[in-house]
Amino acid sequence: MNKLRILVADDHEIVRHGLVALIKACQGWEICAEADNGRQAVELARELKPDVAILDIGMPTLNGLEATRLILPR
C-alpha cells in the first residue's frame, strides 16, 4: 500500500508540529517534508513531489498563495 506523502509548510513551529503530529497519527499518511517559509516549501515540493502540500497563507519570504502558484504544474 502506497502512503500519501504530505509536505507541511508553516512559519509557526508549534502549528507545524501540531499538524505533523496529527498527520502521523493517520494510517497510510506520511510527512515527506516540513518547511518554515514559502520559498523552502517550493524547493522541497519540486524536489520531493509530495501528493499533498499543506501551506500556511501568511509565511515569510514567499506567502502560501504565491508558493502554491509556483508549485502547481502549468
Side-chain angles (χ1 to χ4, degrees):
M1 174 175 150
N2 291 339
K3 291 190 174 195
L4 183 67
R5 299 174 62 250
I6 303 169
L7 175 142
V8 176
D10 196 305
D11 58 315
H12 295 96
E13 188 175 2
I14 194 160
V15 173
R16 190 174 67 251
H17 288 293
L19 283 170
V20 167
L22 288 171
I23 291 166
K24 285 182 176 180
C26 295
Q27 187 175 9
W29 294 6
E30 73 176 40
I31 299 298
C32 68
E34 294 182 48
D36 61 7
N37 66 64
R39 181 85 46 217
Q40 185 182 34
V42 171
E43 291 170 6
L44 288 168
R46 287 178 176 167
E47 177 185 338
L48 302 173
K49 302 193 181 347
D51 299 308
V52 174
I54 300 172
L55 306 175
D56 179 17
I57 291 176
M59 290 187 288
T61 312
L62 187 68
N63 71 47
L65 296 175
E66 290 299 320
T68 300
R69 287 184 185 103
L70 294 172
I71 291 170
L72 288 174
R74 297 178 188 230

